[in-house]
Amino acid sequence: MTQYAGVDEMPESQRQKQKKQTRKHLITMAFNQLAKDGLINTRTADIAKAAGVSHGTVFAHFPTRDALLTEVINEFGARVTRRLHELAGGGSVHEILEAHLKGLAEFEPFYTRLVREGSLLPESARNTLIMIQSAVSFHLSQAAEREMAAGIIRRLPMHLLFNTWIGLVHYYLANGDLFSPGKPVLERYGKELLEHYLTLITE
């Protein structure tokens, strides 16, 4: 009985591997398509076409469009917060924010869509976005607590510390067509925004 089960498991493992690869490919294509056409305007048919699969294949992996969108935002969050987790042991406020900017800059077109269209997202996707921001806030607050205690930065409420930073970044991204038409906003202004923010909170 065990022998037959072992034989049966081999092709199943191969199918599962192929299924995971297809799912990963769909997420990548969806990520690119959503960045290009927007979170609201992009259709699942557009994603299927970009991925080179049938429309039905999308729904074989994701029961609804909202489920796919939430998974794409999850993937984005994992990529951005990976940099922050590497610094979690003892990074400075400067290092945390610099890592945050680098992570966002790699995916600026998609993140800009999130900033501009976030209020229109389904609840599950909004909750995922909130979790991403909470991870950034957590790492920033840890570094800030150390530097406040050391007298390096001013004592400020943590929510203001984070919201001032994220608000500054979001304002520039949301108005990128004014500040940096045709060019990445964070590449042009990221360093300046970081330096300006640090002057606001430094003792």
Side-chain angles (χ1 to χ4, degrees):
M1 191 73 175
T2 305
Q3 182 179 0
Y4 288 120
V7 172
D8 289 341
E9 284 173 6
M10 290 180 66
E12 181 64 24
S13 296
Q14 186 60 34
R15 285 196 296 271
Q16 287 298 321
K17 182 178 179 181
Q18 185 175 356
K19 186 176 180 180
K20 288 179 181 178
Q21 289 174 339
T22 301
R23 180 183 175 88
K24 184 177 180 180
H25 179 59
L26 283 170
I27 291 172
T28 299
M29 292 299 102
F31 188 89
N32 296 337
Q33 203 67 31
L34 290 162
K36 177 176 173 285
D37 295 335
L39 308 181
I40 306 305
N41 292 330
T42 299
R43 304 171 302 168
T44 51
D46 300 327
I47 295 168
K49 184 177 179 181
V53 300
S54 69
H55 197 188
T57 299
V58 175
F59 292 106
H61 291 268
F62 305 96
T64 64
R65 181 185 182 280
D66 289 355
L68 173 56
L69 182 58
T70 299
E71 192 59 38
V72 172
I73 295 174
N74 260 325
E75 176 62 22
F76 163 75
R79 295 178 187 183
V80 171
T81 56
R82 192 173 296 126
R83 289 183 177 274
L84 299 177
H85 287 309
E86 291 170 358
L87 293 171
S92 66
V93 167
H94 183 281
E95 288 171 330
I96 294 293
L97 297 181
E98 188 174 52
H100 186 215
L101 282 179
K102 286 180 180 178
L104 296 183
E106 290 177 14
F107 312 105
E108 184 174 318
F110 180 76
Y111 190 66
T112 299
R113 294 290 187 180
L114 286 178
V115 171
R116 290 177 175 172
E117 303 177 39
S119 62
L120 303 175
L121 292 173
E123 184 178 1
S124 59
R126 286 201 308 272
N127 289 339
T128 300
L129 184 57
I130 290 170
M131 289 175 64
I132 294 169
Q133 304 295 32
S134 295
V136 178
S137 178
F138 172 75
H139 290 303
L140 176 59
S141 65
Q142 283 195 319
E145 286 283 7
R146 291 192 297 269
E147 295 189 14
M148 285 179 189
I152 298 172
I153 64 173
R154 296 163 53 199
R155 287 204 168 273
L156 296 166
M158 286 301 171
H159 67 279
L160 287 180
L161 196 74
F162 175 72
N163 290 339
T164 300
W165 166 249
I166 208 71
L168 183 63
V169 172
H170 282 191
Y171 181 77
Y172 272 75
L173 287 174
N175 296 282
D177 52 338
L178 299 176
F179 293 121
S180 187
K183 296 181 180 179
V185 173
L186 297 180
E187 180 182 313
R188 182 172 181 180
Y189 288 103
K191 184 178 179 180
E192 184 178 347
L193 294 179
L194 177 54
E195 290 176 353
H196 172 66
Y197 176 76
L198 290 173
T199 63
L200 295 178
I201 65 172
T202 302
E203 283 282 18

